Amino acid sequence: MALFEEEMDTSPMVSSLLSSLANYSNLPTGSKEHEEAENNEEGPRPSKKPVKAPQLGTLMGVYLPCIQNIFGVILFLRMTWMVGIGGVLGSFIIVFMCCSTTMLTAISMSAIATNGVVPAGGSYYMISRSLGPEFGGAVGICFYLGTTFAGAMYILGCIEILLIYIVPQMAIFKIEGLEGPEAELALLNNMRVYGTIVLSFMSLVVFVGVKYVNKLALAFLACVILSIVAVYAGVIKTAIDPPVFPVCLLGNRTLLSKGYDVCAKVVEVDNETVTTKLWRTFCDSDTLNATCDEYFADNDVTEIQGIPGVTSGILAENLFGNYLEKGMFLEKRGVASEVNADAPPTNSNRYVLSDITSFFTLLVGIYFPSVTGIMAGSNRSGDLRDAQKSIPIGTIAAITTTSIVYMSTVVLFGACIEGVVLRDKFGEGVSGNLVIGTLAWPSPWVIVFGSFFSTCGAGLQSLTGAPRLLQAISRDGIIPFLRVFGHGKANGEPTWALLLTACICEIGIIIASLDAVAPILSMFFLMCYMFVNLACALQTLLRTPNWRPRFKFYHWALSFLGMSLCLSLMFICSWYYAIVAMGIATCIYKYIEFCGAEKEWGDGIRGISLSAARFALMRLEEGPPHTKNWRPQILVLASVDAEQNVEQPRLLSLANQLKAGKGLTIVGTSVQGTFLDNYAEAQRADQSLRKLMETEKVKGFSQVVISSNLRDGTSHLIQVGGLGGLKHNTVLVSWPRNWKHPEHHQQFRNFIEVVRETTVASLALLVPKNISSYPSNGERFTEGHIDVWWIVHDGGMLMLLPFLLRQHKVWRKCKMRIFTVAQMDDNSIQMKKDLITFLYHLRIDAAVEVVEMHDGDISAYTYEKTLIMEQRSQILKQMHLTKNEMEREIQSITDSSRGSIRRKNPPAPRSRHSVDGGAGVAEQPEDESAAVSNPKQVQLIHSKNASTPTSPVGPGAAAGPNAPAGEREKAKAPAPANPEAGKDLFNMKPPVDVRRMHTAMRLNEVIVKKSKEAKLVLLNMPGPPKNRVGNENYMEFLEVLTEGLNRVLLVRGGGREVITIYS
């Protein structure tokens, strides 16, 4: 093993390693600056007309639009029912939670909106520019879907008011006479038909001209405010003169108002007892001795006031919740009732029943849409005179106003209205009146028509805003398949986006139930608000230099609290809807990440990445990675041609195939020249590297160094590549091509310096030979072997690399074989057993073979080969002389080589100085020492006794380093013509070069014999000579060692364990 004798101190032979590891007890366990306006605005401004300066102030631009968007259908149709079911306390908690969430979100939004100019685009613009295109696109789509489903909810509310409270006769599917599920289905079908008609009409209005919607907005707002004022006026009136809204109870059950004319079983008419309609409803005849329903017979009929008034003390009764199952009777608390527990309920269609199973989380999901709409002001930021002042003041004032209204109405409804009336969702016990309308003054119709027009207006606003939001997202170009929706009419109206919005809105219409649609849009709005809070918190914590909001009353803790509330409310409302909404957002996020356009918007996520990277790098500095965590962090040393194109692209293919271990990849190259003169070339080289890395799917970094010479440039890359603890531990460099040609002599010298530097720096080194024959990433090996020739222990690199390669689809089908070499004093059978056990503990599947290689006689061909090698080295040395001296010396060598080596003095090969520092002058005979003391004498001896590669002298000389194996075998046979000279030649002590050549040739014979058909051969790489005298010989040894093999990967460990048997 002369090739590796200098490695033995640091890299033991495999046999000694295996024997020491037999018990496995002592294993080491070591943005662009500003986007173009048309990409970010909701609708393009006319280019021909002069742009007017924005004129809207805080009141008209922010406060009133927010009020209009926040007050909506839920307040009029579901608020009283929520108070009745959840109780005043439960409802107050729900309202407080939801209002707190929107208030905290408004604080975060105000901070973002006042941190620079926010063009039209509202929440989408703020989130995308704060959290990046991936989050911005995902949340923008969620906000779009929420706005679209809000349109569906408003339309359903509009239809509910129309068909139940205004003109029930318009119902296409008649509800009269139907019971239970049939009546419910008929109502839903009516909602679907009329909802589709109204949606089509509203879409047409928006398509014809959004200016009409904007003109009507003030009228719709007036309807909302008028309705709320009517409710407060009614509350005041109940304290003075409560209105008469009688509710009829049978026992404690609420009766349908259409089932009786008088709230009594019998009445006195002309001193005669006469049965009423109610009697006939529950009995089989109108006579007094008729057979009646058991519950009807056992219980009395009582009439109570539906609105006893704010001073009646009913608040105490309504304080706590009364959750109902679907189909349960609406019962008044505190009233006695005789019920036969064994008898089944009869005539249930005569009572007011619960139409839905209610619980606390359902109420949260239904109520939350009534606090959305806080973005209305920020959506109009492009039209505001002073957006940075108006948005915070207007939005927070609007939320404060609406929160006060909501909280006060919860208390007032509970204090004024009877509990059974509150729980009567559709007013069936109060003559079909809208429950909130019964409280209003001067007439219930104020609320009915006010709520009808306000829901119509809110639906139109949603159908106007949602397409523009989708258009803004489409024009940003971050979601490729949505780009078609960025187009519209000549005036910029988003026609295609409107069409898609109407189609999605129709899904909500088909669901048809207001109570089922409300939680859907709650999810999307909550997700949007959650990310607004996250954006503010991140920007605050990261302390980005550009984060300087004019709004100062914010704190990261408030933003995190708002974010936590949003997330909690999502799962409180409906955990399965929350998972679906998050799934949609995640899919959009990953789609934008992989397929979307790359945008640099100076977002906070990039700031997080920088902070996280800094933190991780600081942690990595704490110490070297444990053996279990070791993975190849590869520095690929690529060379570029004159056009700055990479000369060996397959190097990057190999790096990609090795990256099953993930880790760092740096692709580096050096450009010759000075930084000032060659910077442009370096940039072109960097672009070339990046392009090739993208083609080869190598995830990593490129690095180009400009240096006065390529040797120093490569050295700089090895020294300074990486950052902190994230540095390369492995260098991948290609074998120098045509290194034997005199014009390429500098290449192999640079290569050997790389080997030396990686050794000094304790870096692993991978040298692929014949890199052009390595497979590309698109190729597949369906069979074959990866052969590992394990000669000296290098920390386990030879074991780890084939494992990593086989994780890649190119090498997946290849089998792994491990060969190790046994010498005379090794027990090959025991070595094989130990190696199999070792591999078993390493969890590596591989076939094992121990090859016995005895130290045989050194053949004449080995001497011949060594002589030719030394002669080539001598010629290369002459190249450092002047031109005349070089010509004279080469001519002298050529002339003297025309004779035969057989006529010369055989000990001549020994006159060469040892190529390695390991064999010093002390090993040399006296005549060689004398020759070394006189350099001219060394050259003279070589001139007289060497033969050139171009002068074949018999079969031995003809079989050069690249000769076929058959010719090499023939070349070993002939003996020197002079028997005495031959005898001297073989009896002398062979020099170091000859012994190394002998080892290389013997190893090569064995490797070629066993692994000629292997897809890849991995082999220990011998260390370089310690002095530079023997550089050429070192290359020759490696050339002989790998001769006749197609793909060879020479591996040199970094001096540490990289694989372990421990978990």
Side-chain angles (χ1 to χ4, degrees):
M1 294 291 110
L3 272 178
F4 300 97
E5 61 187 14
E6 291 184 359
E7 313 281 310
M8 294 304 174
D9 293 336
T10 55
S11 301
M13 288 295 295
V14 174
S15 55
S16 59
L17 171 80
L18 289 174
S19 62
S20 66
L21 295 181
N23 296 321
Y24 307 107
S25 59
N26 58 349
L27 255 182
T29 54
S31 148
K32 297 176 184 177
E33 291 299 317
H34 293 287
E35 288 74 24
E36 303 237 335
E38 64 264 25
N39 287 339
N40 301 319
E41 59 191 0
E42 288 189 351
R45 301 186 179 100
S47 56
K48 295 180 181 178
K49 297 179 181 178
V51 179
K52 294 181 180 178
Q55 293 299 320
L56 292 177
T58 303
L59 182 69
M60 294 300 294
V62 182
Y63 181 76
L64 290 180
C66 283
I67 291 282
Q68 182 181 0
N69 278 267
I70 293 171
F71 285 136
V73 63
I74 301 295
L75 172 64
F76 301 117
L77 295 184
R78 295 291 182 270
M79 193 71 167
T80 53
W81 174 77
M82 186 184 82
V83 173
I85 295 290
V88 173
L89 282 179
S91 302
F92 192 87
I93 289 170
I94 292 172
V95 172
F96 183 77
M97 264 200 312
C98 295
C99 292
S100 300
T101 303
T102 54
M103 179 62 80
L104 292 170
T105 304
I107 291 171
S108 299
M109 185 191 72
S110 299
I112 298 172
T114 58
N115 187 51
V117 179
V118 178
S123 58
Y124 160 70
Y125 181 91
M126 290 189 292
I127 294 170
S128 62
R129 270 54 177 184
S130 297
L131 293 180
E134 293 88 359
F135 277 110
V139 178
I141 292 295
C142 285
F143 192 53
Y144 163 73
L145 291 173
T147 309
T148 304
F149 276 104
M153 184 187 73
Y154 291 131
I155 291 171
L156 290 173
C158 169
I159 302 303
E160 186 176 308
I161 294 167
L162 182 70
L163 292 182
I164 295 178
Y165 305 112
I166 300 179
V167 276
Q169 301 81 13
M170 284 181 63
I172 298 172
F173 300 90
K174 298 299 179 184
I175 303 174
E176 295 294 332
L178 299 178
E179 299 179 11
E182 294 179 352
E184 185 181 349
L185 183 63
L187 176 62
L188 294 181
N189 286 334
N190 282 321
M191 304 280 274
R192 290 179 181 118
V193 173
Y194 278 105
T196 304
I197 293 169
V198 171
L199 173 63
S200 304
F201 175 73
M202 286 185 174
S203 301
L204 186 63
V205 170
V206 173
F207 176 76
V208 168
V210 73
K211 59 183 179 180
Y212 302 112
V213 179
N214 292 332
K215 286 179 180 177
L216 290 171
L218 209 56
F220 293 140
L221 176 62
C223 292
V224 174
I225 294 173
L226 185 62
S227 301
I228 292 170
V229 169
V231 171
Y232 278 105
V235 169
I236 294 169
K237 185 176 181 298
T238 62
I240 304 164
D241 180 21
V244 179
F245 273 100
V247 179
C248 194
L249 302 178
L250 176 59
N252 62 357
R253 298 177 182 173
T254 311
L255 292 167
L256 286 173
S257 56
K258 63 183 178 183
Y260 63 89
D261 50 0
V262 178
C263 186
K265 294 183 180 180
V266 292
V267 291
E268 293 287 335
V269 178
D270 298 332
N271 295 324
E272 184 180 350
T273 303
V274 179
T275 58
T276 61
K277 180 181 177 182
L278 186 62
W279 179 282
R280 294 189 291 275
T281 302
F282 285 94
C283 301
D284 57 2
S285 71
D286 57 359
T287 60
L288 291 173
N289 59 355
T291 304
C292 296
D293 179 86
E294 184 178 355
Y295 185 83
F296 180 77
D298 293 345
N299 291 277
D300 295 330
V301 175
T302 54
E303 188 176 73
I304 60 170
Q305 276 301 320
I307 303 178
V310 73
T311 57
S312 64
I314 197 73
L315 179 64
E317 186 181 317
N318 293 331
L319 208 54
F320 300 102
N322 189 7
Y323 297 99
L324 303 173
E325 296 286 330
K326 183 176 181 178
M328 283 181 64
F329 301 107
L330 263 62
E331 299 175 342
K332 177 171 170 58
R333 290 172 176 167
V335 175
S337 175
E338 297 289 333
V339 183
N340 183 358
D342 298 328
T346 55
N347 290 304
S348 58
N349 59 325
R350 311 301 181 204
Y351 305 101
V352 180
L353 304 176
S354 171
D355 71 321
I356 188 173
T357 300
S358 52
F359 39 90
F360 181 80
T361 57
L362 174 78
L363 299 184
V364 176
I366 291 174
Y367 172 74
F368 187 79
S370 65
V371 296
T372 59
I374 62 172
M375 301 286 188
S378 63
N379 288 346
R380 296 168 180 240
S381 54
D383 302 323
L384 298 174
R385 190 183 306 118
D386 185 357
Q388 296 192 5
K389 176 185 175 184
S390 297
I391 289 176
I393 295 173
T395 306
I396 292 173
I399 293 174
T400 305
T401 305
T402 53
S403 299
I404 290 170
V405 169
Y406 282 136
M407 291 178 189
S408 63
T409 51
V410 166
V411 176
L412 293 175
F413 288 163
C416 292
I417 305 175
E418 178 63 52
V420 290
V421 178
L422 287 172
R423 290 187 284 279
D424 186 0
K425 186 185 288 185
F426 300 112
E428 294 169 300
V430 284
S431 306
N433 279 300
L434 183 62
V435 175
I436 194 174
T438 60
L439 185 63
W441 181 87
S443 166
W445 292 104
V446 175
I447 291 284
V448 171
F449 281 107
S451 59
F452 176 76
F453 286 117
S454 72
T455 50
C456 287
L460 281 170
Q461 291 283 359
S462 297
L463 289 176
T464 304
R468 279 159 176 72
L469 180 59
L470 181 62
Q471 188 181 45
I473 298 170
S474 305
R475 287 184 169 180
D476 262 347
I478 57 174
I479 306 178
F481 73 86
L482 288 182
R483 282 178 183 154
V484 65
F485 299 106
H487 306 297
K489 293 193 293 186
N491 61 353
E493 290 296 316
T495 311
W496 291 105
L498 176 62
L499 185 62
L500 180 66
T501 303
C503 292
I504 296 173
C505 199
E506 180 63 22
I507 296 172
I509 300 295
I510 291 170
I511 294 172
S513 170
L514 185 69
D515 301 325
V517 172
I520 296 176
L521 65 106
S522 294
M523 291 303 115
F524 292 123
F525 279 120
L526 279 166
M527 186 168 288
C528 178
Y529 296 166
M530 181 175 73
F531 281 105
V532 169
N533 284 299
L534 176 63
C536 180
L538 283 184
Q539 299 276 33
T540 308
L541 287 174
L542 291 172
R543 297 177 182 175
T544 315
N546 191 51
W547 179 247
R548 303 184 300 275
R550 289 188 180 278
F551 180 78
K552 301 297 181 185
F553 304 100
Y554 68 93
H555 193 270
W556 63 265
L558 292 177
S559 299
F560 268 119
L561 179 61
M563 187 179 73
S564 305
L565 271 174
C566 289
L567 191 61
S568 303
L569 284 175
M570 283 177 70
F571 283 92
I572 287 172
C573 292
S574 172
W575 63 268
Y576 46 89
Y577 278 162
I579 291 173
V580 170
M582 288 175 139
I584 292 172
T586 304
C587 291
I588 297 168
Y589 179 94
K590 299 308 286 185
Y591 176 79
I592 296 172
E593 188 177 40
F594 287 114
C595 305
E598 292 187 8
K599 300 277 185 180
E600 175 51 62
W601 287 333
D603 50 87
I605 294 298
R606 192 172 181 84
I608 291 182
S609 301
L610 289 170
S611 296
R614 183 178 62 85
F615 176 77
L617 284 170
M618 298 300 288
R619 288 290 302 273
L620 285 174
E621 284 279 85
E622 293 175 7
H626 191 276
T627 303
K628 289 184 288 188
N629 296 326
W630 194 94
R631 56 185 62 181
Q633 319 277 22
I634 299 177
L635 169 63
V636 182
L637 294 178
S639 56
V640 293
D641 57 20
E643 299 298 321
Q644 311 306 325
N645 295 317
V646 179
E647 291 181 335
Q648 308 104 351
R650 289 295 166 86
L651 265 181
L652 271 72
S653 303
L654 179 61
N656 180 40
Q657 292 157 24
L658 280 167
K659 293 318 288 177
K662 301 305 182 187
L664 170 76
T665 304
I666 302 173
V667 182
T669 190
S670 54
V671 174
Q672 190 166 355
T674 63
F675 186 78
L676 296 177
D677 297 335
N678 300 91
Y679 182 71
E681 289 179 34
Q683 291 295 97
R684 286 200 301 274
D686 188 59
Q687 290 298 321
S688 178
L689 290 180
R690 287 175 184 272
K691 187 175 180 181
L692 185 60
M693 289 171 71
E694 186 177 344
T695 304
E696 297 293 341
K697 298 180 180 176
V698 174
K699 293 187 176 180
F701 309 98
S702 60
Q703 193 166 3
V704 179
V705 170
I706 304 173
S707 181
S708 56
N709 59 76
L710 298 180
R711 168 81 286 282
D712 288 345
T714 307
S715 178
H716 296 157
L717 282 171
I718 292 173
Q719 291 177 62
V720 302
L723 179 64
L726 194 64
K727 291 180 72 70
H728 55 273
N729 54 29
T730 305
V731 175
L732 177 62
V733 61
S734 179
W735 178 262
R737 296 178 299 171
N738 306 322
W739 65 272
K740 295 181 182 179
H741 294 178
E743 61 269 21
H744 295 294
H745 72 281
Q746 191 59 41
Q747 281 188 11
F748 81 77
R749 288 179 180 166
N750 291 350
F751 169 77
I752 294 175
E753 289 303 305
V754 168
V755 180
R756 286 196 176 98
E757 286 173 357
T758 54
T759 304
V760 170
S762 298
L763 301 175
L765 179 66
L766 309 179
V767 182
K769 199 162 180 280
N770 303 328
I771 186 65
S772 58
S773 66
Y774 276 64
S776 66
N777 290 327
E779 296 179 40
R780 304 282 186 280
F781 287 132
T782 55
E783 58 181 3
H785 294 93
I786 299 176
D787 285 359
V788 176
W789 283 83
W790 197 23
I791 299 165
V792 295
H793 180 57
D794 57 352
M797 279 290 287
L798 282 171
M799 302 294 178
L800 189 61
L801 293 176
F803 170 78
L804 295 178
L805 282 173
R806 291 182 65 224
Q807 307 303 304
H808 196 275
K809 53 194 173 185
V810 173
W811 303 93
R812 193 164 291 150
K813 299 290 180 65
C814 293
K815 305 291 183 185
M816 184 174 165
R817 296 190 300 191
I818 296 182
F819 297 89
T820 189
V821 176
Q823 293 180 285
M824 286 290 289
D825 52 350
D826 293 328
N827 184 342
S828 58
I829 297 173
Q830 186 60 39
M831 277 181 68
K832 184 170 182 179
K833 286 181 182 178
D834 291 345
L835 182 52
I836 290 171
T837 310
F838 183 49
L839 291 175
Y840 173 77
H841 284 286
L842 286 176
R843 291 92 62 202
I844 290 178
D845 296 322
V848 172
E849 187 171 341
V850 177
V851 179
E852 294 185 356
M853 196 176 84
H854 306 303
D855 289 331
D857 292 335
I858 299 177
S859 66
Y861 174 64
T862 303
Y863 281 99
E864 188 73 22
K865 190 95 170 174
T866 309
L867 194 60
I868 293 169
M869 173 187 75
E870 294 190 346
Q871 173 216 325
R872 181 185 293 113
S873 302
Q874 192 64 30
I875 291 177
L876 288 171
K877 282 187 177 180
Q878 304 307 320
M879 295 177 69
H880 294 286
L881 304 175
T882 63
K883 186 176 179 183
N884 291 336
E885 289 174 326
M886 182 175 66
E887 288 174 357
R888 190 165 59 249
E889 290 291 336
I890 293 177
Q891 186 61 42
S892 169
I893 293 172
T894 306
D895 290 344
S896 58
S897 68
R898 296 192 186 279
S900 171
I901 188 171
R902 290 171 293 183
R903 298 197 302 271
K904 304 301 178 186
N905 187 14
R910 298 176 62 216
S911 63
R912 176 78 166 90
H913 188 284
S914 167
V915 299
D916 196 282
V921 179
E923 294 183 6
Q924 299 166 357
E926 292 180 6
D927 59 342
E928 187 172 351
S929 299
V932 171
S933 64
N934 187 348
K936 279 191 168 290
Q937 187 179 346
V938 175
Q939 295 178 6
L940 184 62
I941 292 170
H942 274 281
S943 300
K944 291 179 178 178
N945 298 293
S947 65
T948 66
T950 56
S951 56
V953 282
N962 295 315
E967 293 181 19
R968 278 197 282 127
E969 294 298 327
K970 293 176 187 175
K972 296 173 188 176
N978 185 343
E980 293 300 319
K983 187 176 178 181
D984 291 343
L985 182 69
F986 286 106
N987 288 338
M988 71 181 183
K989 180 178 181 288
V992 175
D993 282 352
V994 176
R995 288 190 291 113
R996 291 186 174 185
M997 183 64 76
H998 175 65
T999 302
M1001 291 176 63
R1002 289 297 305 278
L1003 265 177
N1004 178 255
E1005 288 172 15
V1006 176
I1007 295 172
V1008 170
K1009 182 179 176 182
K1010 297 285 186 181
S1011 302
K1012 188 168 181 62
E1013 300 302 322
K1015 300 299 182 186
L1016 180 65
V1017 176
L1018 284 87
L1019 183 64
N1020 284 115
M1021 182 178 183
K1026 291 184 179 177
N1027 57 39
R1028 289 172 173 74
V1029 177
N1031 283 356
E1032 302 87 350
N1033 300 352
Y1034 174 69
M1035 296 296 291
E1036 188 70 54
F1037 293 142
L1038 294 182
E1039 194 73 64
V1040 171
L1041 185 63
T1042 57
E1043 191 176 345
L1045 299 171
N1046 184 23
R1047 297 185 194 92
V1048 183
L1049 184 60
L1050 295 169
V1051 180
R1052 186 162 173 75
R1056 62 158 295 166
E1057 295 294 325
V1058 300
I1059 194 166
T1060 177
I1061 65 171
Y1062 298 107
S1063 61

